[in-house]
Amino acid sequence: KHASPEVRSRHEVALAAVRQNGLALQYAAPGLRADPEIVLAAVAQCGRALEFADAALQEDRNFLLEAVRRNGRALEYASHDFRADREVVLAAVSQCGCALVGAAT
């Protein structure tokens, strides 16, 4: 949050930050919020981090499946279509039973 834009745009800095606190993704440079490695590390630490991922990743079904496999709670921050997708919901609930709360009805 308080780092310079140059520091926030460094891959290794962002990766280290999101591994400690997934919500640090919101402070990463935009290009890093589109980096699958960084976003998956963030989501694994905190499902809510999906909210700060680049829109292209949020709409990528394969990426989203991997994200909810790492942290089922990320389902809550997925688009309605994915929250209604049987395979995505099953993957999320398999990782964390409480993810069912985030499924679309």
Side-chain angles (χ1 to χ4, degrees):
K1 180 177 178 178
H2 301 290
S4 71
E6 180 183 318
V7 170
R8 284 188 278 155
S9 66
R10 292 179 54 199
H11 185 274
E12 63 276 6
V13 171
L15 191 56
V18 300
R19 283 181 174 157
Q20 289 184 24
N21 180 349
L23 296 179
L25 183 64
Q26 67 188 300
Y27 304 113
L32 296 175
R33 286 183 266 152
D35 183 308
E37 179 186 16
I38 290 175
V39 177
L40 287 173
V43 168
Q45 203 284 323
C46 177
R48 183 175 172 216
L50 183 64
E51 179 180 9
F52 304 106
D54 184 80
L57 287 180
Q58 291 180 13
E59 294 302 319
D60 181 325
R61 186 174 185 275
N62 290 328
F63 176 82
L64 191 64
L65 270 169
E66 183 58 31
V68 298
R69 286 180 182 131
R70 293 183 186 211
N71 189 333
R73 292 175 182 250
L75 181 65
E76 186 176 348
Y77 303 96
S79 72
H80 182 273
D81 289 345
F82 289 129
R83 288 185 287 120
D85 182 308
R86 186 180 195 284
E87 186 179 2
V88 172
V89 171
L90 183 58
V93 171
S94 294
Q95 196 284 323
C96 176
C98 63
L100 192 55
V101 172
T105 56

